[in-house]
Amino acid sequence: MMLPAPAGSPYRVSMVCLGNICRSPMAAAVLQRRVEDAGLGEHIRVDSGGTGSWHVGDAADPRARDALSRRGYDGRSHRARQVSPPWFDDHDLLLVMDDDNLRTMRRLAPDRDAAERVMLLRTFDPTAEPNGERSVPDPYYGDEADFDAGLDIIERCVDGLLPVLRARVEGSESDR
Ligand code: 4NP
C-alpha cells in the first residue's frame, strides 16, 4: 500500500467523517497517540474534519469522549470543523470513514491529484476481507456498544496504517 507523497514535512493527515463529533475525532485521537508513542510526532500531523456543518464548533459527542477515555485516550480538546476546498492544500492524506464521505470529498477535491489523496480508513484494516465492510459505521444513532465497536475498528486500522505512514515519512527524502 503506497500513500500519497508528502508535499513537505510534516506529513499532514486528516480524519474525515460526517459530523466531526464521533468517528473522526476518535480516529484522530487514536492516531495522534500512536504517532507520539512511535516518536513520530515531529513528522506526522493529525487532525480531523466533517463534511457537514451542523456541529461546527461543538465538542466531540460525549459518547465518543467516554469511549476514548475508557481506553486511555483524551478527546476533550476537540472542536468540530467542516472541511472545505483549502483542506486539500493543507493536508497530504484525507482518511474518510465511509463511502458517503468518500463521494463528498472526491466531489470537493479541486483536481485529480487531490481526489486521489482521499482514501477509506478501512483500506488499512489488517482484518479486511475482499468485498467486506468498507466503512467505519456511523454510531451517532447507536449506543455505547456502537461507539466501542467503532473504536475497535479504528484501533485496528491505525495499527495497519502506522507502519505505512512511518515508511512514507522515513522514505520521503528520496521522493523529492
Ligand atoms: P460522525 O457522526 O460523522 O461520526 O461525527 C455523526 C454526527 C452527527 C450527525 C451524523 C453523524 N448528524 O446528523 O448530526
Side-chain angles (χ1 to χ4, degrees), residues 7 21-22 35 38 74-75 78 94 98 100 105 116-117 122 142 148 151 153 156 161 168 170 173-174:
I21 55 170
C22 300
V35 160
D74 188 352
H78 176 73
L94 300 301
D98 61 32
D100 177 53
M105 291 302 284
E116 287 176 352
R117 290 187 285 112
R122 279 199 88 161
D148 286 336
L151 206 40
I153 299 170
R156 245 181 14 238
L161 170 65
R168 178 80 274 180
E170 289 178 350
E173 291 306 316
S174 54

Side-chain angles (χ1 to χ4, degrees), residues 17-24 54-55 138-141:
C17 64
L18 178 58
N20 192 215
I21 55 170
C22 300
R23 292 165 293 173
S24 61
W54 312 283
H55 295 283
D138 187 349
Y140 187 64
Y141 295 103

